[in-house]
Amino acid sequence: MNKPWIIWSLSALCAILVFGAMGLITRHTLGLEKERAHAEARAELEERIRLSLWRMDTAAAGILAEENNRPAWHFRDVDLRKTTRLTPLNLDVPENIKLHFEVKQGQVSSPQLNGWTQPGSQWDAQLSPVQQGVKLTQQQQNNWRTLQGLLQNDGTFQGWQAKRNHQSQLTDDNLGVISAIARRDPAKDALIEPAKPSQEVVEAVQQRKGESSAAVRSSVAYQNNYNVAEKSKRQEIVKKSVDNRAMQQKAWSGGAKMKKSSTKTAPSVQAPAAALAEAGDAEIGKKLAESQELLAGPHISSLRPIWLAGELLLVRDVQDQSGRRVQGVWLDAEALKETLLRNIRDLLPNAELEPVRKSLRVMLGEEPDPNEQDPMVMAALPWRLIPGEMAVVEPVGWTPMRKTLGVAWIGALFAALAAVILLRGVVKLSERRASFVSSVTHELRTPLTTFSLYSDMLAEGMVQDETKQREYLQTLRKESSRLTHLVENVLAYSRIERGSARARVENVRVSALIDRICERLRQRAEEACMELHCEVSPEVAAREIQVDTTAVEQILFNLVDNASKYASGKDDGKVIELRALETRQGIAFQVCDQGPGVPKSEQRKLFRAFHKSAQEAAHTKPGVGLGLALCRRLARALGGDLRIVDQEKGACFELRLRV
């Protein structure tokens, strides 16, 4: 492979494409998972909000139903000089209510504020209710003054009626406002009453029936439709619960029937005509009896909420034998708000309620209510729920999807690493093969050229001098030995690589081993004009080792051959030392020379096979860079090792053998 950068570039491009695709898939998957977690958190919050609104509307509807079904005569004030019966409102103020009031012909009165002075003699036996009423009147003086100021002096709506209708008899203050709202044309109620199921409601119902997957239920569209549907249902239920038509029918159905059945019933909860007549309130009973014809057409509208200067009022229009008037309930907005919020603290601990103020035209039914579709607005009272929290996604940790992605990424990284290692090995193998072919070709060409030239000259009889002939023949023998040594090394390395090398292990003394190979080594050194000195102590020479002597001989010969080639220069020493030493593990053979040595940078690749490039093979000493690699493999096959030993000058290789 002449251009490995092409392989690396293509491989890098493939890796970028693969990891880029995996990155996009991971990003998309995590995005979907995060979006689903957000949707589930939002759906969970929406569920708590809907449940909170149901609780608050249920509680508020109870108050509205109680007040809406309260008979009109409960709102009358008391003159102890004229009456003998009290209404429940004369003695107490219900919870979450500041005052009840009635507006008739521009005059404001309250059943909780009465004239308790100079009671008639009929009250002598009922001092306790009188005392309770007196105490209640004294307690409500401040609220009474505040209410009067709110209805008569507040400037928020002053002049509204004058601008709207110059012919109206209503006052220009808040009394006129609440009167107009209480007497609103019933035909306009359709603009503010709960609307019929809208398209969103229908879709929400269909989604609930047709789909059950969590993904659909947690979608934004489903939640919005569901909220609108719930708001519509709450409005419908609240309207039914506070409907006072049944009370009107009961209250105004006639006195005769009530007379028969109410003798033992408390006067405070009876129909006004029957109860008061039976109870002895002569004046009112007489008037009620005289106006039976008027009772055919009485009217009590439903209570309608209205915000006035930060105060929440409920007002209704009443028309009966006593005339037309407005009755109202001044709610304790702060106390009621705390009561409602207390009911949902377990669902929304930080929730708040803010007033929903409507324009005058909306309250008069002249314009649609813009908050009609707002799911956060209560159905019973004009309050908007502020949840006080956002949909928070808790850390999901290692979900199955993330674990799968993590495993996929780890697998991909390991695959990429393996591919890089494999590719690097293939490229290096290709480079080494090319280097081997080049270096072997170079190593073969020189002796073959010599063979061809010298053999032709000798065959043609061109060399007549016998000395020259012997010299040429020596050269041919030397080149033949060189070729034989090269081929033996290649074949030995090939056998080791294939795992087919066979060792012939035998017991031999160190001295015998040295004597067996020393002559051959010395001849090789002499060919390079060098001397081989063998140093073996008597103790080491007597040691017996079990080893493949052929492999040891090949290793030592290669080491001496390298020393002969690389340390035979003019400036180098001419001595090669072969030492046999005893170590803790066994015997070590050292081959040292006085040549230029091996640089540190070359030592790491010194034992790699075919590490010489073709260019290096052409410009350095003969060899293909296979000898040291073969020697190390043989040494390790013997259970030992081959390494280079530091010394002051020259190179020193040490063959260690275990005994």
Side-chain angles (χ1 to χ4, degrees), residues 338-354:
E338 289 301 321
T339 300
L340 296 177
L341 291 177
R342 194 181 308 119
N343 292 331
I344 63 171
R345 288 302 181 198
D346 58 327
L347 298 174
L348 300 171
N350 301 318
E352 289 292 337
L353 289 173
E354 69 173 13

Side-chain angles (χ1 to χ4, degrees), residues 16 110 164-165 172 189 351 373 423-424 468 550 560 604:
I16 291 173
S110 172
R164 288 176 49 81
N165 184 1
D172 291 344
D189 287 348
Q373 300 297 329
L423 188 60
R424 183 171 178 267
K468 286 287 184 181
T550 303
V560 172
R604 295 185 58 185

Side-chain angles (χ1 to χ4, degrees), residues 457-469 472:
M457 292 175 66
L458 292 174
E460 296 294 334
M462 297 175 65
V463 181
Q464 300 298 325
D465 187 358
E466 294 183 356
T467 305
K468 286 287 184 181
Q469 290 179 353
Y472 285 1

Side-chain angles (χ1 to χ4, degrees), residues 580-595:
L581 307 174
E582 185 173 10
T583 63
R584 288 185 298 180
Q585 290 80 18
I587 300 297
F589 296 93
Q590 290 184 345
V591 177
C592 304
D593 59 52
Q594 302 297 318

Side-chain angles (χ1 to χ4, degrees), residues 378-442:
M378 293 177 58
L381 293 173
W383 262 314
R384 178 182 286 105
L385 175 63
I386 307 298
E389 61 181 87
M390 303 290 290
V392 179
V393 179
E394 299 293 337
V396 295
W398 283 98
T399 61
M401 178 61 70
R402 295 191 176 195
K403 291 180 180 178
T404 304
L405 289 175
V407 171
W409 272 102
I410 292 174
L413 291 176
F414 273 110
L417 181 60
V420 169
I421 294 175
L422 179 62
L423 188 60
R424 183 171 178 267
V426 171
V427 171
K428 282 193 169 293
L429 179 62
S430 177
E431 292 176 348
R432 288 165 58 188
R433 184 173 58 186
S435 299
F436 170 73
V437 172
S438 298
S439 57
V440 168
T441 302
H442 174 76

